[in-house]
Amino acid sequence: MVDDTEKFKNLSETLGEAHVKTEPKITAQYTVDNVVPRAVVFPKNTDQISEVVKFANRENLAIVTRGSGTKMAMGNPPRKLDLVVCTSRMNHMLDVDTSNLTMTVEAGVKFRDIQARLATQEDRCYLPLGDLEAEGDEIICSDRSHSGCFVPIDPPYADKATIGGIIATNSTGPRRLLYNLPRDCIIGIRVVAPNGDVLGSGGKTVKNVSGYDVSKLMVGSMGTLGILCETTLRMLPLPEKMETLLVSFANFSDASAFAGRIFETSLLPAAVEIMNGEAFGHLSLDDKPDFGSNGYVAAIALEAFEPAVDRMRIEMLNMAKEAGAGANAVFEEEDHRSFWLAMSNLSATLDKKFSGFIKAKLNYPLSMWKNIIASGESIFSEANLDYIVQAHAGNGICFTGLLVDNNDTSATDKAVEAMNQLLAYCQEVDGNLVIQSAPADVKSNLRIWGKIGFDFVVMKRLKDQLDPKGIMSPGRFVEGL
Amino acid sequence: MDKQKLIASLNEIVGPDNVLSSEMDLMLYSYDASLDKAKPDVVVLPDSTEEVSKIMALAYKEKIPILGRGSGTNLTGGTVPIKGGIVVHFSRMNRILEIDYANRTATVQPGVITLDLQTEVLKKGFVYQPDPASQKVSTIGGNVSENSGGPHCLKYGVTSNHVQGLEVVLNDGTVINTGGKARDNAGYDITALVVGSEGTVGLVTKAILKLERAPESVKTLLAIFDAIEDGANTVSAIVAEGIIPATLEMMDNTVMRAVEETIKVGYPLDAACVLIIELDGMPEGMDDNASKIVEICRQNHVRDVRLAKDEAERNVLWAGRKGAFGSVGQVRPSYLCCDGTVPRTKLPEVLNQVIEIGKKYNLPIGNVFHAGDGNLHPLIMFDERDEDERSRVLKASTEILKACADAGGTISGEHGVGMEKLKETAFIFNECDLEFERQIKRAFDPDDIINPGKMIPANS
Amino acid sequence: MNIVQLKKLSYDEVAKCNKCGFCLPSCPTYLVKKAESYSARGRNAITRFAIENKLELNEDTERAIFTCLGCGACTAVCLSSVQTKDLIFQNRECQVDAGFYPKVAKRLVKILEESHNISDEDQEDRAEWQELIKELPEDAFEKETADVVFFVGCVASFFPMVQKIPANMAKIMQSAGVDFTILGGEEWCCGFPLIGAGMPEKLAAMKDHNLKKVAKVGAKTIVFTCPSCYHTWHHFYKSDAKLMHASQLILELIKDKKIEFNKNIKGVATYHDPCDLGRNTGVYEEPREIIKAIPGLEFVELPMNRKFSVCCGGGGNVEMTDPDLSAQVAQTKLASIKAVGADTVLTACQQCVRTMETRAKRSKTDLVVKDLTQLVIEAME
Ligand SMILES: Cc1cc2nc3c(=O)[nH]c(=O)nc-3n(C[C@H](O)[C@H](O)[C@H](O)COP(=O)(O)OP(=O)(O)OC[C@H]3O[C@@H](n4cnc5c(N)ncnc54)[C@H](O)[C@@H]3O)c2cc1C
Ligand code: SF4
Ligand code: SF4
């Protein structure tokens, strides 16, 4: 193995020796799909990132950016990897302007800290503050703006993910039904471009059409067009009341009929999540009601004014009954928050339990959701696989995970085959299936990004133009961009 | 390419009836709602994506500048062909192709008039949210290209938040589809890049738009103030209180008077300004929220808060608001609208500066704007025919935009940069920012033939 | 008129057009042709460019300027209240001086000057429509003196399709006991077509003649079934007599119980506001009140009504200068009528009746077109 210490000396001078790691013992902890980087760097601000990228340009080094590492399993294995740039030290909230309902933070700030910062005097927060656990020597933000606001994003790994990672992967969750997507709440960014330039777009105004919308271009771009360093987000006041309705159904057909009824009204639930018993069973939550493991569970998030929540509860429980519901449960406030945190951590939980866990995100035109889930159910049960299904009803998004053990090669083969079949079905209905995580050695048998649209020509042109040397996350994104 | 040959080639593509090249026709496509003018070489009115693709391929082969035009109502010179060439007028491509309620989408051609689509879907209880004041005449193609906003964008977001997919003809005539009926497509968000690109990256030939269920109930308040500051402070206070109404619009005395000349709304003509505040959604809790707003208004010395008692009263309040720009023609023949936007907390301060700038240049300025978004629209009124006045107007406008930028804001909230504000981009962008944008532009259009000279200042 | 005079007359008004485009979707000719030169904004730009010497008047501007229907829909939606129709008619005067105007307009003037009617017919045949009324003694409606003069207008006098309008109006007045007369061969064209043709100065002779004849009869009231005659008298004549549109007189007669309705009329009807009656003169409600007084009839409004009514295609002499365009506008009108589910369209203008009925026949649209006078007679019988 080459000793890279000398090579990275320059960088050490800029960042400080402690923040440039080349020891194999450490770099091994930062592999991306089993590829070990030559160095891991920990810049402390945007200017330092700019220096790192300029250095990489000179030396022709391939960079992968990393936040908390919750979603490093996304994407194709890197074509080349030299530097992992960790944003963990970029954890400052630069401007929390609750009167303007905007905040500007560095990319390494954790989502949970943002929410904690916005909690009320009484510690009412969008996340269940009591359930949050810090790792190692970290602390959870204890500074309070007392504003009673929140940033309306509902990502997976809500207690660990950094805001940079959430944006770069366009992470969304069930409550996008009411609050929309990260792309809708980002109003400004500062980015280090592939050539090392620091550039900004947008700002603290909620509306802006001066120039191309670089902020939105960066959302979901997986770090292939630059490194997101700072972002300005808009926030909303915390809902007056938060409540969850859990309703069990004997099968998907009843559960989906229930969801269908809801969407015929003008009620405004924050989420209508339909999951199978398997998924519900794996939620790591205290005092989980026992709904049995065979049927389906509908979880409705209600976040609104108190009288509106009351009305929705009454009307929806009635609709549920008409749709043939079994048991139900209602979670209020902190229990509500704990429930949705557990939802956001479902894949993390399963990842730990099943070494060969394969998770996919499906998208399709809204009206196709019943067909998609029916088709998934039949493909998976035919292959005799254990699986979870979790549909964000009303959004045209569904997650599914195959619970396999990596050592069980026959199950793994069947899982791969099943995912490929489901992808084919999604394509048939103008949708797609994207693998969100899979063991590195299985990835080569999967089409990680699924079907690529006609606009790939433009994506390619953009990538070639903005990153001509191909140093930003080479190979990981669609069609190996 | 020789002009006659160009015309002959276009005749072949769209038929001679749809190629305009007389001196008169060229003059009539030399303007939009801004103050700029420049003549194209030829105007075409295509009827299909295939025709647009062929026109584009021709422009590409011959390196002829080309730009798309909807209703020509943009306020920044977006459809002014400063390098000549071909203007593609989308007036014939005005079909609503499909309204798919099950998937909550509408697929339309670019020439569809915004309000026509809205009227159509409302029949089934659905809405397409973006509501620029020009919705009666503006086209979806124009809205998409300018990323237009309107009063209700405070709560629901601008055009960009409501476009799910596009069909775009690229520089060489290739037709691509971005996004689609399914959300979250893999890859870069090309849709988001095309929206707001001011027609500089390609020609949009189809749009898939998001529909939502119309809100169950609506409450519209008119708050009347005796001082502008009080109105502005109220806006900041409402937002700071964490209330995001559906709309929060401000209109000052000058504009109210002008509006009242044409539309009899019954605005209080002795007041300094009014706020039009609308709440929508489920009715539960709405009264409480309205009382909170009224309380904030009181704390800020409101004279009176009136509630629109029925749909008719609400409509007339909005007709006045939406007619505001045009009505300033009752005061002076021309106006320039500065679209500067500021963080909402800076509203009172910047509004004061605007008034001072008006005084300094001795120009009447009317204010009617999306206050809740911090999106100002000072309307500087003048007579275009008066050279001296015109030059003062341009100076005042630049100064206003500078004030917005200095307050942490930007030079355009919804009308775009166009050619009118190229110089002012320097207030918010540095050379790196601009270079990145140029790279994006080059990725789409390396020969700089698509709406050249707009949005990004040339390399200095 | 030359450019210098045009500048004096029109520059300030046309400068008020700030090119906002709000008039585009209201301009019927733009909706059909979809090119800027056929829009109000485009036509104003032509006037402005011409005044500023940036554009010469020629055949192209002739086509743009002479295809305006004069319907005024643009001004109804214009927030600067730009008087586009008037500006266009002023521009037409300039076009005429520059020699760029439709040949039919030239012919029309000649005919008017020689025959005093637009059809180049014998003036003596003006009252031919009386033959439609059974058992009527010849010249029954031509008196020496009367309280009311019924000014029939050229179109209703000479076009067989609409001669029933004056016949019905006469019957109504007769049965209500109104003391009225017609001018017969002494009625001259009111001169309205000359305004549209860009030659308003030629109107004087006709005005003088008509005023003199009315004075001789000693009438205190003049009633018109033609909105354009009515509009012309209103805006260009100076008469001491009270001017009334037929719908206004009929409504008065209904209110005074001078006429009564005995018959139920079936069906769903809508009402088309003639531009010159509604928007251009301000009569919106009387026709609607009459319709509502008719027993049995179901009434629906068009989405664009009253001030925002869309022209039938028959205005501004366009029927002569560009018949295809006129027909296409009419077709759009018919579609909007069918869209509200009406089987009958009522109006109060012989030109609108003619345009819509002709179009409905040609396009085999299943629609009944009726003037109000006909409806009233039917309900009276
Ligand atoms: C009185 C008035 C009020 C207004 N109010 C508002 C408001 O409240 N909010 C707001 O946001 N704007 C407002 N505007 C500005 C303007 O109406 C909007 O920008 C509108 O979206 C423009 O639509 P249009 O069809 O007229 O587009 P155009 O002006 O014709 O074109 C605008 C831009 O889009 C491009 N373009 C058009 N069609 C295509 C296509 N198919 N493919 C590619 N490029 C295309 C053009 O090249 C140009 O750059 C107002 C304007 C006026 C005059
Ligand atoms: S005529 Fe009126 S509505 Fe039409 S463009 Fe001019 S100002 Fe606007
Ligand atoms: S008068 Fe009628 S036809 Fe003429 S420009 Fe105005 S709207 Fe168009």
Side-chain angles (χ1 to χ4, degrees):
Chain A
M1 186 169 279
V2 253
D3 181 5
D4 278 334
T5 328
E6 200 48 38
K7 179 156 205 153
F8 294 107
K9 207 164 160 209
N10 252 340
L11 263 190
S12 303
E13 275 163 21
T14 330
L15 303 192
E17 223 160 287
H19 306 304
V20 179
K21 311 277 193 196
T22 49
E23 307 91 300
K25 191 170 84 231
I26 299 198
T27 53
Q29 294 167 23
Y30 290 88
T31 57
V32 180
D33 289 324
N34 294 343
V35 185
V36 186
R38 287 156 72 185
V40 186
V41 299
F42 298 85
K44 80 163 191 269
N45 57 30
T46 305
D47 289 342
Q48 287 196 348
I49 292 203
S50 166
E51 290 303 322
V52 172
V53 175
K54 282 182 184 151
F55 173 79
N57 253 288
R58 283 195 301 273
E59 305 286 337
N60 227 339
L61 303 174
I63 298 178
V64 166
T65 314
R66 177 187 161 112
S68 299
T70 55
K71 289 173 288 280
M72 295 312 286
M74 278 181 79
N76 304 311
R79 190 159 53 229
K80 177 166 183 261
L81 176 61
D82 302 301
L83 274 181
V84 165
V85 176
C86 272
T87 57
S88 57
R89 291 172 70 217
M90 298 193 40
N91 57 356
H92 303 98
M93 301 197 209
L94 304 173
D95 173 50
V96 182
D97 188 348
T98 54
S99 310
N100 190 42
L101 295 181
T102 62
M103 71 191 300
T104 305
V105 299
E106 286 184 322
V109 171
K110 293 200 174 177
F111 181 72
R112 58 153 202 244
D113 291 322
I114 291 178
Q115 305 294 21
R117 175 75 179 264
L118 299 177
T120 64
Q121 205 139 10
E122 297 79 31
D123 267 359
R124 187 160 180 268
C125 173
Y126 197 62
L127 292 175
L129 284 178
D131 293 359
L132 302 180
E133 284 167 31
E135 286 150 68
D137 52 1
E138 282 180 357
I139 45 164
I140 291 166
C141 176
S142 58
D143 193 3
R144 293 284 178 273
S145 68
H146 299 320
S147 65
C149 288
F150 73 111
V151 169
I153 305 179
D154 185 21
Y157 314 96
D159 53 351
K160 295 194 182 56
T162 62
I163 191 70
I166 290 169
I167 291 167
T169 56
N170 189 20
S171 291
T172 66
R175 282 174 284 185
R176 61 187 272 170
L177 182 64
L178 187 63
Y179 302 120
N180 293 322
L181 307 174
R183 89 198 267 278
D184 300 304
C185 80
I186 287 201
I187 57 174
I189 47 161
R190 254 155 74 84
V191 178
V192 170
N195 64 2
D197 278 354
V198 177
L199 54 99
S201 167
K204 278 179 72 168
T205 59
V206 290
K207 255 161 119 183
N208 198 332
V209 292
S210 321
Y212 296 118
D213 199 335
V214 178
S215 308
K216 288 200 177 66
L217 177 62
M218 289 295 157
V219 177
S221 66
M222 290 285 293
T224 56
L225 293 179
I227 299 182
L228 190 74
C229 296
E230 291 162 29
T231 168
T232 304
L233 303 160
R234 57 195 292 182
M235 49 208 193
L236 288 177
L238 279 173
E240 187 176 86
K241 187 166 183 179
M242 303 192 215
E243 201 173 284
T244 304
L245 307 183
L246 290 177
V247 191
S248 79
F249 290 91
N251 50 43
F252 174 69
S253 138
D254 290 351
S256 61
F258 170 50
R261 286 289 307 279
I262 296 177
F263 295 122
E264 279 162 24
T265 67
S266 24
L267 301 179
L268 297 168
V272 176
E273 194 75 347
I274 305 291
M275 65 196 118
N276 64 354
E278 189 78 38
F280 187 73
H282 284 290
L283 278 183
S284 93
L285 187 69
D286 304 334
D287 304 324
K288 195 165 49 176
D290 180 9
F291 286 153
S293 61
N294 287 325
Y296 267 75
V297 177
I300 316 286
L302 304 177
E303 304 187 347
F305 290 114
E306 188 164 344
V309 169
D310 292 343
R311 174 179 153 204
M312 285 193 274
R313 181 196 329 105
I314 294 166
E315 291 188 12
M316 287 184 188
L317 287 178
N318 273 334
M319 288 180 219
K321 207 190 262 164
E322 281 160 28
N328 69 55
V330 177
F331 289 165
E332 288 181 49
E333 289 295 311
E334 197 66 1
D335 293 335
H336 161 91
R337 295 186 277 269
S338 300
F339 175 80
W340 293 98
L341 178 61
M343 283 299 296
S344 108
N345 277 327
L346 180 58
S347 20
T349 313
L350 294 169
D351 216 13
K352 266 183 225 142
K353 288 192 194 164
F354 302 92
S355 56
F357 181 54
I358 301 178
K359 180 185 170 198
K361 173 179 172 182
L362 287 64
N363 67 339
Y364 39 83
L366 299 186
S367 63
M368 295 310 298
W369 75 295
K370 293 179 189 169
N371 313 43
I372 289 275
I373 289 174
S375 150
E377 277 195 319
S378 89
I379 292 172
F380 297 151
S381 31
E382 203 125 298
N384 218 352
L385 292 161
D386 289 336
Y387 62 92
I388 60 134
V389 178
Q390 180 196 349
H392 300 344
N395 289 298
I397 301 291
C398 160
F399 287 91
T400 175
L402 296 179
L403 315 179
V404 289
D405 189 327
N406 206 15
N407 299 322
D408 181 348
T409 44
S410 110
T412 304
D413 288 351
K414 277 193 282 177
V416 168
E417 172 56 26
M419 281 300 185
N420 286 336
Q421 270 182 40
L422 192 53
L423 166 63
Y425 182 69
C426 288
Q427 290 187 11
E428 242 169 70
V429 301
D430 278 336
N432 195 16
L433 181 152
V434 171
I435 301 294
Q436 295 236 311
S437 78
D441 52 332
V442 180
K443 276 191 170 177
S444 54
N445 298 326
L446 289 161
R447 285 199 64 183
I448 302 298
W449 294 102
K451 173 194 77 168
I452 299 308
F454 291 111
D455 49 352
F456 181 72
V457 278
V458 176
M459 297 183 198
K460 178 90 173 89
R461 288 200 209 170
L462 275 170
K463 173 74 177 176
D464 290 348
Q465 185 65 237
L466 296 172
D467 182 15
K469 288 192 175 165
I471 62 167
M472 308 306 285
S473 274
R476 294 182 75 209
F477 203 31
V478 292
E479 302 287 273
L481 274 184
Chain B
M1 195 183 203
D2 166 59
K3 191 163 159 181
Q4 287 317 312
K5 262 201 205 141
L6 171 63
I7 293 172
S9 313
L10 291 170
N11 280 347
E12 242 162 66
I13 300 173
V14 295
D17 281 355
N18 299 307
V19 179
L20 310 177
S21 59
S22 74
E23 177 62 14
M24 172 193 76
D25 280 317
L26 301 183
M27 287 297 278
L28 295 186
Y29 285 87
S30 68
Y31 57 76
D32 50 29
S34 73
L35 300 176
D36 306 300
K37 283 183 194 75
K39 269 190 318 183
D41 292 315
V42 60
V43 179
V44 275
L45 282 65
D47 193 37
S48 66
T49 303
E50 294 71 53
E51 289 181 1
V52 175
S53 160
K54 285 184 193 159
I55 297 165
M56 197 67 144
L58 176 69
Y60 179 67
K61 197 168 126 243
E62 305 292 338
K63 305 288 172 261
I64 303 169
I66 180 166
L67 67 77
R69 177 180 170 109
S71 291
T73 69
N74 77 88
L75 297 158
T76 51
T79 44
V80 173
I82 38 176
K83 304 253 164 84
I86 307 171
V87 165
V88 183
H89 187 192
F90 282 103
S91 55
R92 293 173 68 220
M93 290 178 65
N94 65 344
R95 287 173 277 262
I96 298 178
L97 299 172
E98 179 196 45
I99 301 182
D100 181 351
Y101 292 107
N103 285 314
R104 307 265 164 112
T105 57
T107 307
V108 303
Q109 289 188 320
V112 166
I113 291 187
T114 317
L115 187 65
D116 287 353
L117 172 67
Q118 289 165 327
T119 310
E120 195 53 40
V121 297
L122 193 61
K123 291 181 189 159
K124 290 268 157 53
F126 282 82
V127 285
Y128 165 66
Q129 290 289 2
D131 59 341
S134 52
Q135 76 206 113
K136 261 189 198 168
V137 49
S138 71
T139 64
I140 294 295
N143 289 175
V144 164
S145 302
E146 299 287 358
N147 194 9
S148 297
H152 287 81
C153 295
L154 173 58
K155 177 168 172 185
Y156 295 102
V158 287
T159 301
S160 176
N161 308 104
H162 301 272
V163 179
Q164 269 190 227
L166 296 171
E167 179 182 84
V168 184
V169 176
L170 297 181
N171 61 336
D172 55 2
T174 312
V175 181
I176 62 159
N177 290 286
T178 74
K181 284 190 185 174
R183 302 173 189 168
D184 290 22
N185 284 294
Y188 301 136
D189 192 346
I190 304 299
T191 311
L193 207 51
V194 177
V195 177
S197 63
E198 302 192 19
T200 62
V201 297
L203 293 176
V204 174
T205 45
K206 203 189 279 178
I208 303 178
L209 308 170
K210 193 157 126 189
L211 303 180
E212 286 165 29
R213 218 172 253 289
E216 198 175 340
S217 76
V218 179
K219 213 183 214 33
T220 312
L221 306 168
L222 184 74
I224 303 163
F225 294 89
D226 290 317
I228 294 253
E229 287 93 336
D230 291 336
N233 286 329
T234 304
V235 172
S236 301
I238 290 174
V239 175
E241 191 59 29
I243 301 173
I244 308 267
T247 75
L248 190 40
E249 299 284 305
M250 187 192 264
M251 195 185 285
D252 73 6
N253 182 280
T254 315
V255 176
M256 281 192 282
R257 279 175 186 281
V259 170
E260 208 68 24
E261 289 277 323
T262 22
I263 310 174
K264 299 282 168 269
V265 181
Y267 290 131
L269 294 186
D270 56 340
C273 71
V274 292
L275 295 177
I276 305 179
I277 308 169
E278 191 159 285
L279 300 167
D280 71 6
M282 289 173 58
E284 286 77 12
M286 203 179 268
D287 283 337
D288 274 3
N289 222 14
S291 327
K292 260 192 231 159
I293 290 174
V294 173
E295 188 43 41
I296 297 173
C297 290
R298 290 234 171 82
Q299 284 160 11
N300 288 286
H301 324 293
V302 74
R303 181 207 292 179
D304 189 15
V305 184
R306 293 188 205 153
L307 177 71
K309 65 173 187 303
D310 53 25
E311 187 62 16
E313 236 181 73
R314 170 175 181 252
N315 285 342
V316 81
L317 275 182
W318 281 117
R321 164 60 186 89
K322 298 211 162 152
F325 279 26
S327 357
V328 300
Q330 304 283 357
V331 184
R332 301 297 315 274
S334 329
Y335 67 84
L336 184 86
C337 172
C338 310
D339 184 35
T341 306
V342 297
R344 298 170 277 206
T345 39
K346 296 289 166 69
L347 214 47
E349 176 188 324
V350 176
L351 211 44
N352 253 332
Q353 281 171 280
V354 169
I355 294 167
E356 287 308 313
I357 292 168
K359 281 188 197 146
K360 175 171 159 195
Y361 289 99
N362 190 23
L363 291 164
I365 296 187
N367 280 292
V368 49
F369 61 103
H370 312 309
D373 289 327
N375 187 183
L376 298 163
H377 286 342
L379 299 167
I380 315 178
M381 299 173 235
F382 65 111
D383 190 334
E384 210 186 337
R385 297 171 295 177
D386 180 336
E387 274 307 319
D388 167 61
E389 213 174 28
R390 192 183 158 120
S391 73
R392 274 186 287 138
V393 167
L394 296 178
K395 279 189 202 135
S397 150
T398 303
E399 223 162 282
I400 289 172
L401 296 181
K402 181 88 174 74
C404 294
D406 288 348
T410 185
I411 59 170
S412 178
E414 57 179 28
H415 299 164
V417 173
M419 49 193 287
E420 200 152 77
K421 282 176 267 189
L422 279 177
K423 179 165 87 285
E424 285 83 359
T425 53
F427 297 159
I428 51 167
F429 292 134
N430 61 30
E431 205 34 50
C432 291
D433 302 335
L434 293 174
E435 192 46 38
F436 196 77
E437 297 213 2
R438 285 186 203 115
Q439 286 176 352
I440 293 176
K441 166 79 174 168
R442 278 200 287 275
F444 280 96
D445 177 24
D447 305 307
D448 198 21
I449 55 167
I450 309 176
N451 207 358
K454 308 291 169 65
M455 196 166 91
I456 319 163
N459 215 331
S460 47
Chain C
M1 190 184 305
N2 59 28
I3 295 289
V4 178
Q5 289 163 319
L6 184 67
K7 181 168 181 178
K8 216 166 182 181
L9 193 64
S10 307
Y11 200 21
D12 283 340
E13 186 63 24
V14 82
K16 275 166 62 186
C17 170
N18 51 42
K19 305 187 256 74
C20 72
F22 273 45
C23 51
L24 297 185
S26 300
C27 177
T29 56
Y30 178 74
L31 291 182
V32 168
K33 292 287 194 175
K34 302 193 163 68
E36 188 77 11
S37 63
Y38 287 94
S39 72
R41 179 175 67 182
R43 291 175 177 126
N44 281 334
I46 291 173
T47 301
R48 183 163 182 170
F49 287 138
I51 288 175
E52 292 172 349
N53 292 317
K54 291 177 183 151
L55 182 65
E56 279 185 13
L57 299 182
N58 57 20
E59 290 89 356
D60 298 316
T61 60
E62 173 191 319
R63 184 175 35 76
I65 293 296
F66 277 93
T67 46
C68 166
L69 298 157
C71 70
C74 43
T75 304
V77 296
C78 175
L79 292 146
S80 307
S81 314
V82 177
Q83 302 298 312
T84 303
K85 167 171 76 82
D86 298 346
L87 286 167
I88 289 171
F89 287 175
Q90 287 157 6
N91 187 330
R92 284 185 184 179
E93 293 181 49
C94 244
Q95 292 276 160
V96 169
D97 266 15
F100 296 107
Y101 64 106
K103 297 213 173 43
V104 288
K106 207 179 285 181
R107 229 187 57 227
L108 179 75
V109 178
K110 199 158 156 269
I111 291 172
L112 281 183
E113 283 179 337
E114 288 167 6
S115 317
H116 309 306
N117 66 61
I118 58 166
S119 302
D120 205 7
E121 302 268 354
D122 190 342
Q123 275 289 88
E124 290 314 308
D125 293 341
R126 264 208 181 257
E128 204 181 58
W129 52 267
Q130 295 184 67
E131 291 163 17
L132 293 177
I133 306 174
K134 270 179 243 140
E135 293 152 33
L136 190 75
E138 203 165 320
D139 299 333
F141 298 140
E142 291 177 56
K143 304 183 191 166
E144 292 284 313
T145 60
D147 291 346
V148 175
V149 165
F150 173 23
F151 195 91
V152 180
C154 304
V155 175
S157 298
F158 295 110
F159 286 78
M161 182 188 254
V162 287
Q163 281 177 334
K164 58 183 179 281
I165 296 178
N168 285 332
M169 184 61 193
K171 277 201 269 182
I172 296 168
M173 289 194 286
Q174 195 180 29
S175 96
V178 177
D179 173 26
F180 75 99
T181 181
I182 55 174
L183 299 178
E186 287 303 331
E187 178 185 310
W188 284 11
C189 172
C190 70
F192 176 74
L194 291 167
I195 304 166
M199 298 171 235
E201 73 287 348
K202 299 215 156 75
L203 185 129
M206 309 186 170
K207 182 174 88 176
D208 293 346
H209 172 87
N210 284 328
L211 281 172
K212 214 164 8 165
K213 293 296 158 194
V214 168
K216 204 167 138 208
V217 174
K220 289 186 223 36
T221 304
I222 311 172
V223 65
F224 305 84
T225 42
C226 170
S228 301
C229 297
Y230 174 55
H231 169 261
T232 306
W233 274 74
H234 238 290
H235 290 84
F236 300 91
Y237 282 37
K238 257 207 170 81
S239 163
D240 298 330
K242 179 177 175 197
L243 307 178
M244 285 182 108
H245 181 256
S247 60
Q248 296 173 309
L249 179 65
I250 293 173
L251 184 65
E252 256 179 31
L253 298 176
I254 295 173
K255 283 188 176 157
D256 294 347
K257 303 228 168 2
K258 298 266 175 55
I259 48 182
E260 267 166 27
F261 300 125
N262 309 311
K263 199 170 140 205
N264 256 330
I265 304 284
K266 284 200 223 40
V268 184
T270 187
Y271 174 68
H272 160 70
D273 287 276
C275 305
D276 277 335
L277 182 63
R279 194 161 39 230
N280 297 341
T281 320
V283 179
Y284 297 116
E285 300 312 322
E286 289 89 338
R288 289 179 167 79
E289 283 184 51
I290 296 173
I291 295 167
K292 284 174 189 158
I294 304 289
L297 193 62
E298 192 187 325
F299 177 63
V300 283
E301 285 282 9
L302 292 171
M304 304 297 261
N305 58 57
R306 294 183 171 85
K307 192 177 158 197
F308 302 109
S309 169
V310 182
C311 178
C312 65
N317 304 350
V318 175
E319 192 203 356
M320 287 185 267
T321 53
D322 190 343
D324 277 354
L325 175 58
S326 169
Q328 280 172 287
V329 172
Q331 193 64 51
T332 329
K333 183 78 207 187
L334 297 189
S336 74
I337 293 166
K338 293 303 283 182
V340 293
D343 51 43
T344 303
V345 57
L346 300 165
T347 189
C349 168
Q350 74 295 328
Q351 180 67 1
C352 299
V353 169
R354 240 166 49 79
T355 315
M356 293 193 285
E357 195 167 318
T358 310
R359 196 63 225 147
K361 279 203 185 112
R362 296 241 166 96
S363 65
K364 304 207 164 46
T365 307
D366 184 16
L367 183 72
V368 180
V369 183
K370 265 185 212 168
D371 190 78
L372 275 184
T373 48
Q374 187 184 343
L375 175 76
V376 167
I377 285 288
E378 283 170 5
M380 281 165 69
E381 275 160 2

